[in-house]
Amino acid sequence: MTTAVQPPLPSLPLLRLRLAPRGDIPRPIDGAWWPRSYDLLAELPQLLAGLPRAWGHITSVTVHGAVWSAVPGRMLVFNQVVRLRRSLTASAPHSVVLLAPGRGRWDLLVVPPDTAEEAAEPLMAAAAGDPGGAVSRG
């Protein structure tokens, strides 16, 4: 009798996210996210899954409309509706804004997907307030 070997299940790529430590002083940027593409429908579920539970349920996400691929007005993520907004504000072309009612607002620097790792790591560390730190991929 022979047994068939099951191929391993495909694994999701690690989330490239670096968050600033929580503190009493408000920060203009709360961390950095380095997505693998500008396809928000593909990238957003993994980002939201990797956020701290203390942030609560993110109900609204705003991205810069000129860089991200077309998005619908809302999408279902983990059985919850998330509103997707596009902004053309010139002051924040490389950021994403996350809102959770009653919990707060978080602004993340978006490192462009095609950025080389040598350039992305210092950007992410600086956005998280740790200029000498390494990128968190988990």
Side-chain angles (χ1 to χ4, degrees), residues 30-119:
D30 299 294
W33 174 42
W34 184 18
R36 286 176 170 72
S37 73
Y38 281 118
D39 180 355
L40 193 61
L41 298 179
E43 299 289 342
L44 189 60
Q46 187 179 16
L47 172 63
L48 296 183
L51 296 176
R53 289 187 185 266
W55 287 19
H57 170 64
I58 302 297
T59 60
S60 177
V61 175
T62 303
V63 296
H64 193 269
V67 277
W68 291 89
S69 61
V71 296
R74 61 183 178 226
M75 70 183 280
L76 193 62
V77 180
F78 307 117
N79 292 323
Q80 297 192 12
V81 175
V82 177
R83 288 190 176 276
L84 304 176
R85 301 180 195 284
R86 295 169 66 97
S87 168
L88 296 177
T89 305
S91 64
H94 296 289
S95 67
V96 62
V97 177
L98 309 169
L99 297 174
R103 298 286 179 110
R105 168 187 168 145
W106 295 273
D107 292 54
L108 300 177
L109 169 74
V110 176
V111 176
D114 59 352
T115 304
E117 187 169 355
E118 307 81 52

Side-chain angles (χ1 to χ4, degrees), residues 14-19 32 34 121 124-125 133-138:
L14 294 173
L15 176 62
R16 301 182 298 188
L17 176 68
R18 182 78 186 253
L19 300 176
W34 184 18
E121 286 187 18
M124 293 185 69
V135 176
S136 170
R137 290 187 168 89

